[in-house]
Amino acid sequence: MGANLIHPSDRIFVAGHRGMAGGAIGRALQRRGYTHRLTAGRAELDLEDAVAVRQWFEANRPQVVVLAAAKVGGIHFNDTYPADFLLDNLKIETHVIESAWRCGTRRLLFLGSSCIYPRLAQQPIREEALLTGPLEPTNEWYAIAKITGIKLCAALRRQYGFDAISLMPTNLYGPGDNYHPTHSHVLPALIRRFHEAKLAHAPSVTCWGTGSPLREFLHADDLGEACVHALETYAPDPADPVQHLNVGTGIDLPIRELAQLVAGAVGYQGEILWDTTKPDGTPRKQLDVNRIEATGWKARIPLAEGLVSTYADFLAPGTRL
């Protein structure tokens, strides 16, 4: 392996540093000796404001940018606010990526999502599956925005030689997650639901869907390490039609089994029921992670271990509920 593509002296801007992914990336950068990090909270910089973003980049001139900021949420939130998900994410992506390019950023990493792939993509999903079939209707707006981000990075690399790379993580969980009862993803929503049921001594908990869809889960700290590894080493081959990498464990499980694991981690002992009138979402979404593992990175935190530490984070004072 050659020299790192980023340097400890680089000024590195993590957009979305207060989110789960951004926080994990910041911790990974710190562990690896990258101490010149730039941050800007929403009160300081509105990423949906094109003028403000351009002015911030002109003033701060980050050499490396990680775009982890996004408007995110679970099936209900995506399905209820499609215009917001599309517009807000397109604004964030185009403003940050274009400003980074125009202001001389040397290297940029864009974080997408595994929802970019077709609903019925062949499993496990290889990077080549992008744009080969219809998306999952309940989150297509978010997916389309993320696909746009990937393609913008690839287009700037192709036309202008801008060193922009993209990673597509599977479902994330871990410290800093959003545990809102209706706006969160499946795993943090289950943690909150079982925790509240335990406190209320509820005899049962009802979960959405049939419990049969298969999902893959990656601890945020594994993603953080993957991002720093990619920044240091990943340079897409210009001749390769694939210009992004999947990031995951390569292991999935039924939501029904996940619910049992979460209940165990939380200490809830009641019955788990399923409301089959509610949508399941994509039947299966397991990523093929051969490409990123070939670069020398591999997920290290088992789900059972990660759930215990994530529940401890949920219980910590100041956790967002």
Side-chain angles (χ1 to χ4, degrees), residues 250-270:
I251 302 168
D252 61 6
L253 77 167
I255 294 297
R256 186 178 297 273
E257 185 177 332
L258 173 70
Q260 294 167 347
L261 286 174
V262 172
V266 170
Y268 176 73
Q269 298 180 340

Side-chain angles (χ1 to χ4, degrees), residues 81-91 140-142 144-145:
Y81 304 102
D84 293 350
F85 267 83
L86 186 55
L87 281 171
D88 294 353
N89 282 299
L90 286 174
K91 290 175 184 176
E140 66 176 325
W141 317 103
Y142 180 73
I144 288 170

Side-chain angles (χ1 to χ4, degrees), residues 107-129:
R107 190 158 171 78
L108 178 143
L109 187 154
F110 170 70
L111 272 187
S113 165
S114 59
C115 72
I116 63 168
Y117 294 115
R119 182 177 189 272
L120 300 178
Q122 184 176 348
Q123 306 288 321
I125 307 172
R126 300 177 62 194
E127 287 87 349
E128 290 85 348

Side-chain angles (χ1 to χ4, degrees), residues 36-53:
H36 298 271
R37 299 195 307 280
L38 304 173
T39 58
R42 188 172 298 178
E44 306 163 72
L45 176 60
D46 180 0
L47 297 179
E48 296 177 31
D49 183 333
V51 173
V53 173

Side-chain angles (χ1 to χ4, degrees), residues 22-23 28 33 46 50 55 71 76 88 126 128 134 146 149 159 161 175 204 208 245 258 285 288 295:
D46 180 0
Q55 290 175 342
K71 185 183 188 74
H76 173 75
D88 294 353
R126 300 177 62 194
E128 290 85 348
K146 287 299 184 180
Q159 185 173 347
S204 65
W208 274 30
L245 292 177
L258 173 70
K285 199 166 57 172
D288 183 315
T295 71

Side-chain angles (χ1 to χ4, degrees), residues 1-6 25 28-29 32 34 66 107 109 165 167 221-235 245-247 291-300:
M1 185 178 296
N4 282 355
L5 298 173
I6 59 173
I25 293 164
L29 286 166
R32 303 278 275 270
Y34 298 97
V66 180
R107 190 158 171 78
L109 187 154
I165 59 175
L167 297 186
D221 283 330
D222 271 336
L223 173 66
E225 292 295 330
C227 288
V228 178
H229 173 80
L231 283 169
E232 292 177 339
T233 65
Y234 177 51
L245 292 177
N246 290 339
V247 187
R291 278 180 178 262
I292 193 167
E293 289 187 351
T295 71
W297 175 88
K298 187 177 179 66
R300 299 183 181 278

